[in-house]
Structures are given as structure tokens and as C-alpha cells.
Amino acid sequence: MSGLRTPCRVMLMALAAVALWAFPVAAQEPPSPDRQILVMVNHPPDHFRPNASYGRGYADALGKSARTRLARRIAAKYGLRLVDEWPMPLIGLDCFVMLVPDGRSTSEAATQVSRDSAVAWAQPVGLYETQGRASGPNDPLFAAEPAAREWHLADLHRIATGRGVKVAVVDSGIDAGHPDLSGQLLVNRNFVAGRPGAAERHGTGVAGIIAAKADNGVGIAGIAPGAKLLGLRACWQAPDLRTVCDSFSLAKALYYAIQQRAGVINLSLGGPDDRLLRALIKTALNRGTAVVTAFDARRPGGGFPASMAGVTAVSDAISAPRVYTAPGRDIPTTQPGGRWFLVNGSSFAAAHVSGLVALIRQRARSSAVSLVSPNGGAIDACASVIRVSPGCECNCGPFRAAGAR
């Protein structure tokens, strides 16, 4: 017997080595989103539990297993590979991500799968890009913020600070330990599959403009320093420092923001129109959430979601119908590692408006977003807040707005 054990062990070790070589345990990089499609399957309504904390928590094991088996059959039928899934009972759908082999068009694959009777619809995963950039990695922080002058920020903070309002920042990773952001985030979650969470420039900068702490002796003051942030990482920082997102990650983050009843959702990004994201944004709007997004001047209508009815589209410079303008040039804001840089772009103009909407929501939670814009796009922030703050004037100060904080 002992003479047989050694050859057996050698053979097993050889087979294991071949198996590991042929089938790596984990890929070095996640599948490229531009090779994926989203396959939407109608969700049985009786499986939804209202007290579920997030999308995966509603399903019993049998129901989830049955839906996964269905998705795998669909993938096998059309020569695809199932790579991820996310139940979305709030809109009556289950979302499955499938990888399309090289050499096949994702659009053609989505069209083919859409014809299947078991499928509600299928669509290619869309790619989005945030609408901002840093002025330079070593630029110093200027003492004055544009909003402090243009929006009379100190006066606004005597009326409202955004206290009690949740703002969902759907963006790249936020540095929750930054001295200007410490304690400002209720959650800081990563929805990007295959990419570990990280503190990244764009998301951290947007978060600082919205809700950096005031009166703490460092850095800047956010537009709504009393608001609390939901940090929802749906985008990631590319090696060339662009910040990009895919529609599946965005969908998961949006779904979570809706579940958490965010008062404001900030989407400082733009890209192609997307049926799933449109359905989720419509659901958010119907539930009373304000959706603020960046205007992309390179795309018709400002890109999506800026072109969607009901959202608040913002630019740092472009004046167009249904588009507001807000400070977006030479903006000092938070950056990873406890630093502050200058940034530019519509991303950061949108962040200003998300903060402003949080101020308005503190004063009139049930009212629709109504911004005063007498000069063809430029927002009168003070008048916008005063409109929902009876008894105050634009320079009302602490005397006539006592107790507003």
C-alpha cells in the first residue's frame, strides 16, 4: 500500500497544477463593462419583503436559486456567460449581467436576447463619465469659495444647513476619513464589481462641495454642512485619472439610494440614454427624491440623465433651456489624503445645486424643487431658499431666522 501512495500523490499534484493553469482561480481584472449586457427578467411580486435592507435581502433561497437557474439557461442558450445579478423588486425586475464573447456585438446580443419570451428586455451596459477635472495636483487652496461670494453662503447657513436631509452621492469612492468629511457619511458603500473600494478624487471632491463640515477650523464649508451623505461608489478612477462608471453599478447604487429614501441624489456624470437607469430615476422622482445631474455639452441635449424630464440639470457655463448654471470654476474642495485642491467642471456645479436643494428640503421637505433663476440659467441661491423661508430676506442674518439651524 505504501508503494502506491507516492505515485498517487504525484499524479494528484500534477493534475492540480494542470487545473490551476487551465482554470485560474480569479481573473486579474474584472470583465470589461463594454463587453456586457443587462438582461431584465420580470420579478415575482410576492417575494418582496418591505423590511429588506437592500436588494439582495428580499429573496428566499428557493426563489433566488430558481431565478439564477433561469438566467444561466438564458446565458447558455445565447452563448453568453452569467457574471452578476441584482434583484430590483421596487421596479418589478431582476437584473442579470451577462458577458458577450469577443467578436460579437453587444447590441446584437441584447436584441437577440430581448426576443426571448422569458426576458422583459436586454440592453448593453452603458459607460458614463463624470463631468469634472482637477486644475492641478498641487494647486493650493484659496481662502474664498466662489459660493461664499456669489451665493452669500454665510447668510444661507443662518437659515438652513441641510440638517436632517440625506444626499446620495453616486460617484467614485469618497475619503470618509478626510478631516472635512469625517462623520458626514451615513454609509460608504462600494457597488463596483471586481474593483475594491478606494478613496478617489472625483467622489471626494463632490462630497466636500455638498457637505464639508463648517466651523471646524480647517478646509472649506460645504453648501449643506448639516446634511448627511450616502457615499455610493458606482464609478472608479481610471489610470489616466478620468472617472468612469457602468450602468449596472449605477443601477445598483440608484436602487440603494431609493431604498434609503434619500432626499437628493447627486449624479455628476453623463452618458448614453439607458432604459434601466431611466426607470430607476423615474421611480426616485415619483417618490419625491430630487435628482441633480451634470450637463454634458459634448452630447445632444446635455447627455443622459440631464436630458430626462424631471431631473435638475446643471452646467458650470452652458446656458440652455431647462439647464441651471452654478459655480464650477476654480472650486476648492476636498481630495483624498486629507488634502484640498481646485477643481473645474459641471460635476462640481451640480454638487453645488445638490447642496442647495438640501437647504431647501430642510425648510420645505414636501415641496418640489423650485430654484429661482432670473438671469437665464444662473441661480439666485438666496432667493431660492428665502422662497421657502417665510419672514426672511436675502441678508436676513441670525435675527430673523432664529432657530433655523
Side-chain angles (χ1 to χ4, degrees):
M1 292 295 291
S2 61
L4 294 175
R5 289 194 186 108
T6 299
C8 286
R9 282 199 298 269
V10 171
M11 182 176 293
L12 288 172
M13 290 174 64
L15 289 172
V18 171
L20 288 172
W21 177 83
F23 304 102
V25 173
Q28 294 299 314
E29 290 290 332
S32 175
D34 61 6
R35 299 302 308 154
Q36 298 172 356
I37 64 172
L38 302 181
V39 178
M40 312 306 299
V41 176
N42 288 323
H43 173 82
D46 58 330
H47 287 163
F48 175 57
R49 295 176 185 167
N51 64 346
S53 61
Y54 72 104
R56 292 186 188 274
Y58 75 92
D60 56 67
L62 290 176
K64 182 178 185 297
S65 176
R67 287 190 294 277
T68 301
R69 287 198 302 271
L70 172 62
R72 285 175 177 160
R73 286 199 300 270
I74 293 170
K77 181 178 178 181
Y78 296 100
L80 310 173
R81 180 163 66 88
L82 179 65
V83 295
D84 208 344
E85 60 184 277
W86 200 267
M88 298 184 177
L90 285 177
I91 57 173
L93 295 167
D94 287 315
C95 180
F96 297 95
V97 184
M98 298 187 185
L99 184 65
V100 179
D102 291 339
R104 288 178 62 185
S105 162
T106 55
S107 296
E108 291 176 0
T111 300
Q112 185 182 30
V113 174
S114 293
R115 298 192 185 105
D116 195 295
S117 60
V119 174
W121 84 81
Q123 62 183 69
V125 168
L127 293 178
Y128 295 75
E129 186 172 343
T130 55
Q131 300 300 303
R133 58 193 181 280
S135 291
N138 298 311
D139 286 351
L141 175 66
F142 289 97
E145 301 170 51
R149 303 184 304 275
E150 298 174 27
W151 282 12
H152 305 284
L153 196 56
D155 287 332
L156 291 183
H157 285 171
R158 295 186 181 105
I159 305 169
T161 62
R163 179 171 52 85
V165 180
K166 290 191 287 189
V167 181
V169 180
V170 179
D171 211 294
S172 60
I174 297 172
D175 183 358
H178 192 287
D180 249 348
L181 294 172
S182 177
Q184 298 297 80
L185 278 77
L186 293 175
V187 298
N188 200 19
R189 294 194 53 166
N190 180 24
F191 290 93
V192 181
R195 296 179 187 271
E200 293 161 310
R201 298 175 69 172
H202 194 274
T204 302
V206 166
I209 290 171
I210 296 172
K213 292 191 290 189
D215 300 321
N216 64 339
V218 298
I220 62 172
I223 304 300
K228 292 299 182 183
L229 302 179
L230 304 177
L232 309 181
R233 184 180 184 245
C235 311
W236 61 93
Q237 188 171 296
D240 60 3
L241 297 184
R242 290 184 307 125
T243 300
V244 294
C245 330
D246 68 66
S247 52
F248 182 52
S249 297
L250 290 171
K252 290 187 289 184
L254 280 169
Y255 192 87
Y256 183 87
I258 296 168
Q259 283 190 313
Q260 298 301 307
R261 301 186 181 279
V264 185
I265 296 175
N266 185 89
L267 291 167
S268 287
L269 49 86
D273 200 345
D274 185 280
R275 183 175 175 179
L276 175 58
L277 297 182
R278 183 177 286 272
L280 288 165
I281 291 172
K282 184 177 180 180
T283 298
L285 294 171
N286 289 342
R287 287 173 168 239
T289 298
V291 179
V292 181
T293 187
F295 182 89
D296 184 354
R298 299 168 300 179
R299 293 180 178 269
F304 178 84
S307 58
M308 183 175 174
V311 306
T312 302
V314 188
S315 170
D316 65 328
I318 301 297
S319 180
R322 293 182 55 251
V323 180
Y324 294 104
T325 57
R329 308 296 300 176
D330 296 328
I331 308 298
T333 190
T334 47
Q335 291 290 279
R339 296 174 293 173
W340 294 263
F341 290 164
L342 291 177
V343 294
N344 295 293
S346 294
S347 279
F348 307 107
H352 276 77
V353 174
S354 288
L356 179 60
V357 173
L359 301 184
I360 295 170
R361 285 292 170 95
Q362 178 188 339
R363 300 292 298 185
R365 292 176 185 270
S366 61
S367 66
V369 176
S370 179
L371 302 176
V372 178
S373 177
N375 299 318
I379 297 170
D380 186 330
C382 200
S384 298
V385 175
I386 295 303
R387 173 181 282 184
V388 295
S389 306
C392 288
E393 299 172 358
C394 281
N395 60 347
C396 56
F399 303 104
R400 298 184 60 187
R405 299 179 70 166

